[in-house]
Amino acid sequence: MNLNTSILKYIEDVKSGTFTVEEFTAATLQRIKDVDGDVHAYLSLNDSAINDAKIIDKKISSGEKIGRGYGFPISIKDNICITGTKTTCASKILENFIAPYTSTVVNRLQNEDVVITGKTNLDEFAMGLTTEFSAFGPTKNPWNLKYVPGGSSGGSAASVAANECLASLGSDTGGSVRNPASFCSVVGLKPTYGLISRYGLISYANSIEQIGPMTKTVKDSAFLLNIIAGQDANDDTTINNNNVNYLENIEDGIEDKRIGIIKEMTIDGLSSEVATATKDAIKDFESLGASCDEVTLPTIPYTVAAYYTITSTEAGSNLARYDNIRYGYELESEGYEYNSYISKSRTKFGPEVTRRIILGGFVPSAGYAGKYFLKALKVKSKLTSEVNKAFENFDYLIAPTTPVQPFRFGEKIDDPVTLMLLDYNTVTANLTGKPAISVPYRVVNGLPIGMQIMGNSLEEKSLLQSAYALESKTNLPAVPL
Ligand code: GLN
């Protein structure tokens, strides 16, 4: 059974009877057994996956109405809730937390007959970009197990790249879908803020984060977006997308489109491999009939600082609920007075989350808010007007997704500022709410490089057309694992 296939090809094969949903699910579970001891993409598996597959097969054979998914296997980042399953956020503090309700995205998927394989690893509470901050051990990059898979949705990206499922859902606050997509050579889309419901996503920084599809192909990304996008009564920030069909006309191409190459993201700090790939991508875009010109967005150098100021503030507030009374792990409660009980409980947070909580308490506090938090909000609005202005002249804004290729475990973990700077090319889309996609573009020295394309708000359809066009220019090797 070839597990290295797209969702769309899988559906064709199930429809034509090449294999059953149960056979494909069984092969996927076997693959997980074979490789996940090394990769560690999953934190937990869905025990009823085979059963779910059998039910879908029965629907198909009896001619019952069948959902659009035809039982394709999908993994879900472990900060997205599914009733009755563990949702840990890769944190000790939620080690035994069983979600009491299902997120809108998973509901929509289940209504379309998918098979959920399991929950995937992440940096604790989605804070990080290597998965080294998972309390349950890191995920390895399937391209080379000595290298990080990116993060925070590293488990999601690795599960797709290692053929342990056909797609995954991640969450992207500052690059967490696109960064691991780039590091693992999968397609990762961060949609316009509000396009996808966050109901049932455990919040990190509500005002800028979005759930996004991670897939093997651009068409699969559009297919998944068709299922999960759109307004939701349970999330007031969602937008009516008029049921756009993102797959329709995806092959239309980018003839005469205007592309802005973001100067601040392509001049300094790129590795030579990434810089060369970027030049090649520009040539590819031109050969597809688009025009490419440099565009400067002068606020970009301030974005990483603004991003961490805003997100830590929101995180500090969101994480205040983990007092070990409402959720949490077992701690002998006898003999503690209230404050020391809470303090003791909260020592279970890992180092990165603790850093964010401390920062998030300080930057918006009385006497400092003007200097830090409010200034960060000003950066956000200045950046947004610069980007909006750029979209008056350009259809797309491009840059490499990450300035460097994947690196070895342990290489940067003790240097939080260097790590944070690796978000340089991704946070702009979050701070401005714009959609952005990472497309697998090159494999150099055995390690992937992804190109990022940013579009204007709610222009996912056009964005996916450009991503499909770029993808058609690539011919990448299969993962060696
Ligand atoms: N690396 C960024 C952070 O740690 C992005 C994380 C994310 O997008 N969830 O905040």
Side-chain angles (χ1 to χ4, degrees), residues 77 125-129 151-152 171-177 204 209 307-308 311 352 356 419-420 423 427 430:
K77 187 175 182 179
F125 282 100
M127 297 172 190
L129 72 157
S152 66
S171 64
D172 190 312
T173 313
S176 277
V177 161
Y204 160 16
E209 67 201 356
Y307 166 82
Y308 279 97
T311 55
E352 186 60 26
R356 309 287 179 101
L419 263 183
M420 288 170 175
D423 294 324
V427 296
N430 305 82

Side-chain angles (χ1 to χ4, degrees), residues 72-98:
F72 78 83
I74 183 164
S75 66
I76 307 289
K77 187 175 182 179
D78 205 23
N79 61 352
I80 299 175
C81 294
I82 307 177
T83 308
T85 71
K86 261 195 187 184
T87 302
T88 67
C89 289
S91 179
K92 287 269 181 209
I93 214 146
L94 286 179
E95 192 165 6
N96 301 312
F97 175 62
I98 308 278

Side-chain angles (χ1 to χ4, degrees), residues 262-280:
I262 304 173
K263 183 176 163 210
E264 290 74 10
M265 295 184 187
T266 47
I267 292 297
D268 294 324
L270 304 188
S271 72
S272 63
E273 291 81 4
V274 173
T276 305
T278 307
K279 284 189 190 123
D280 290 350

